Amino acid sequence: MKNAKELLVTKLDPKKWRDIPAGFRIYPLWEDPRTGASIALFHCPKGVGVPTRHVHASNQFMYCLKGEYEYLSTGLVLKPGSFYMNPKGHAHGPTLARKDSLLVEMYDGPHYYKRPSYHTDATVGSVAPKVKRRAGAKKSAGKAGTASAKGRAR
């Protein structure tokens, strides 16, 4: 990244937390506006979580600092010291915080193909740009973000 500068965050500004309508909140630490890659703190109070199954438009990485955060469809639980990687296009969720949870959440590109229902335009993070298909091109049934991939249960 040409002309990139170092960034040091030593104190969190309470005004920078983004309250998500589903009940959790996100604190953006860094984002690359060109690629949509980002790093944020993800705080989820006990009994709250991401309410729906969904996919991301890039790889998602999470590191648990405190609490217990469960992926309900698989029973996978993140606890302090746990690292989780969810590959681009892989359906996951819903989730639930068994205890008040704080995680570091990272994406290596845009967060979503389209804004999920539990976000607003102000809280969504980056959304992948729509790619124009050539006239007559067929949709790929297995491509993440298409209607067939969204409806597929795993």
Side-chain angles (χ1 to χ4, degrees), residues 16-27:
K16 290 188 178 180
W17 281 100
R18 293 180 188 163
D19 293 320
I20 310 304
F24 55 90
R25 61 192 189 141
I26 296 171
Y27 189 97

Side-chain angles (χ1 to χ4, degrees), residues 6-153:
E6 294 175 302
L7 171 68
L8 175 63
V9 177
T10 58
K11 186 175 180 184
L12 301 183
D13 178 351
K15 295 179 209 155
K16 290 188 178 180
W17 281 100
R18 293 180 188 163
D19 293 320
I20 310 304
F24 55 90
R25 61 192 189 141
I26 296 171
Y27 189 97
L29 293 167
W30 173 83
E31 183 172 355
D32 182 336
R34 294 176 304 110
T35 66
S38 65
I39 301 172
L41 293 175
F42 177 89
H43 174 249
C44 200
K46 179 180 179 178
V48 172
V50 175
T52 61
R53 194 157 178 80
H54 61 283
V55 297
H56 292 287
S58 64
N59 295 306
Q60 175 192 34
F61 308 90
M62 297 185 82
Y63 183 80
C64 185
L65 299 170
K66 91 172 195 182
E68 289 184 10
Y69 187 74
E70 181 177 2
Y71 287 82
L72 297 174
S73 61
T74 60
L76 186 101
V77 178
L78 279 69
K79 296 179 180 180
S82 298
F83 173 78
Y84 169 76
M85 188 283 240
N86 180 52
K88 174 182 177 177
H90 180 261
H92 63 290
T95 65
L96 181 67
R98 292 180 178 176
K99 296 180 179 179
D100 191 54
S101 298
L102 182 64
L103 302 104
V104 177
E105 182 177 44
M106 296 158 274
Y107 292 92
D108 61 6
H111 297 196
Y112 301 101
Y113 292 104
K114 69 176 195 172
R115 179 177 60 83
S117 61
Y118 51 88
H119 270 290
T120 66
D121 287 340
T123 65
V124 72
S126 60
V127 175
K130 292 182 181 177
V131 176
K132 292 183 182 181
R133 290 194 333 258
R134 294 186 319 260
K138 293 181 181 180
K139 284 185 180 180
S140 172
K143 187 173 182 181
T146 63
S148 61
K150 288 179 188 166
R152 186 177 28 206

